[in-house]
Amino acid sequence: MRKNASATAAWLVLAAVFVLGGCAAKRPAQPKEVIQKISLIPVMPPASLYTKNDLFIPFAPALPVHLGSAAANRNKSAEFNQKMESTRLTLGSKLTSAIQEELRSAGFEVTVLNNVERHKDDPEDIDYAKLPTRDAVLHVWFSDVSMYSSRMSSVYLPRMNVSTHLLPRPESEDAVYSETLYYGADSRGDKYWSLPSDPKFSYPSFNDMIDRADDVAQGYDAGVQAIAKRLSRELRK
């Protein structure tokens, strides 16, 4: 009985060794891919700018207020977009330059890709595999640029939301970083994706905002710099 028990124990020990060895063989440590060189797709300017005021008016008839608010927002957006057209056209190049500068300061080698082939109907639908690079590809685009007044306030704040996509190689199907960064109106305090705007870039009314168009442009410039710095910090991780 003792011999049988000893033999059984020995077999159990050997079996455990083989199982553990097999598990270790199946799950080798995967080294993290180190990205040093980045090809940056030039950032396009936002297609348009707009304003939106969602201020809630208690005890007012819902449908007439909604229709009136929608019409007012359209009219104000058209006026705002016209006033800020020169600012809109520069935002893409400004963000491209800011990202390039911040990434280089963080130790990356950055090349801006020129003459990227884009679809007319969807400029951000890019075939990465056709890009003239073998380095990592960083695609950045504006998902929203506006001045926004929330339901609980008549104050307008800058809103600049930027989406990012980093591929380790052009032909890769999976991104190593994919995130949207929120500056201004959609920020939510101290979070990695959240970038609150300076209170000086807030406006108590639409007319005040239009009269201070140069200040609004400075607020967007501040957003560009803040987003570039935060993106660099996140990629450095």
Side-chain angles (χ1 to χ4, degrees):
M1 291 292 290
R2 289 180 182 176
K3 289 183 179 180
N4 289 339
S6 298
T8 301
W11 278 111
L12 288 175
V13 170
L14 286 173
V17 169
F18 280 118
V19 169
L20 291 174
C23 290
K26 290 178 182 177
R27 294 195 296 270
Q30 296 294 327
K32 289 185 178 181
E33 186 167 6
V34 177
I35 293 176
Q36 186 63 36
K37 297 181 179 180
I38 294 178
S39 292
L40 174 61
I41 297 174
V43 184
M44 295 280 288
S48 64
L49 306 180
Y50 70 95
T51 67
K52 188 173 183 181
N53 187 336
D54 279 338
L55 182 62
F56 174 70
I57 303 176
F59 311 115
L63 183 58
V65 168
H66 173 75
L67 294 176
S69 177
N73 280 323
R74 283 195 300 271
N75 293 335
K76 290 177 179 178
S77 289
E79 181 180 353
F80 179 74
N81 199 44
Q82 183 178 8
K83 183 84 171 181
M84 304 297 296
E85 179 67 0
S86 60
T87 295
R88 179 188 73 82
L89 292 173
T90 63
L91 287 177
S93 60
K94 285 180 177 179
L95 184 55
T96 301
S97 297
I99 291 172
Q100 184 180 23
E101 182 178 344
E102 290 295 332
L103 290 180
R104 284 178 173 172
S105 296
F108 293 98
E109 295 180 39
V110 185
T111 301
V112 178
L113 297 174
N114 295 313
N115 303 318
V116 173
E117 184 177 343
R118 298 179 185 265
H119 293 284
K120 181 180 178 181
D121 296 332
D122 188 358
E124 304 305 340
D125 182 14
I126 297 172
D127 188 346
Y128 303 122
K130 292 183 178 180
L131 294 174
T133 182
R134 305 320 314 152
D135 299 331
V137 173
L138 179 59
H139 184 191
V140 179
W141 65 97
F142 291 103
S143 51
D144 195 319
V145 182
S146 58
M147 296 298 294
Y148 179 69
S149 176
S150 69
R151 287 176 60 83
M152 304 308 295
S153 173
S154 61
V155 174
Y156 285 86
L157 296 175
R159 173 194 264 169
M160 181 179 284
N161 302 339
V162 170
S163 296
T164 63
H165 202 61
L166 178 66
L167 295 169
R169 289 168 300 280
E171 68 275 11
S172 302
E173 295 185 0
D174 297 323
V176 293
Y177 179 84
S178 186
E179 192 60 73
T180 298
L181 303 176
Y182 298 88
Y183 165 78
D186 292 340
S187 63
R188 295 293 181 271
D190 187 20
K191 297 180 173 63
Y192 70 92
W193 50 263
S194 172
L195 299 157
S197 54
D198 192 304
K200 69 181 180 181
F201 298 124
S202 61
Y203 309 90
S205 68
F206 176 81
N207 289 335
D208 180 67
M209 182 174 62
I210 287 292
D211 291 341
R212 297 166 59 192
D214 289 344
D215 290 346
V216 174
Q218 290 178 21
Y220 284 148
D221 286 345
V224 163
Q225 295 299 321
I227 286 169
K229 286 181 181 294
R230 182 60 53 85
L231 177 59
S232 174
R233 190 189 81 176
E234 290 299 303
L235 296 187
R236 206 164 49 232
K237 292 179 180 179

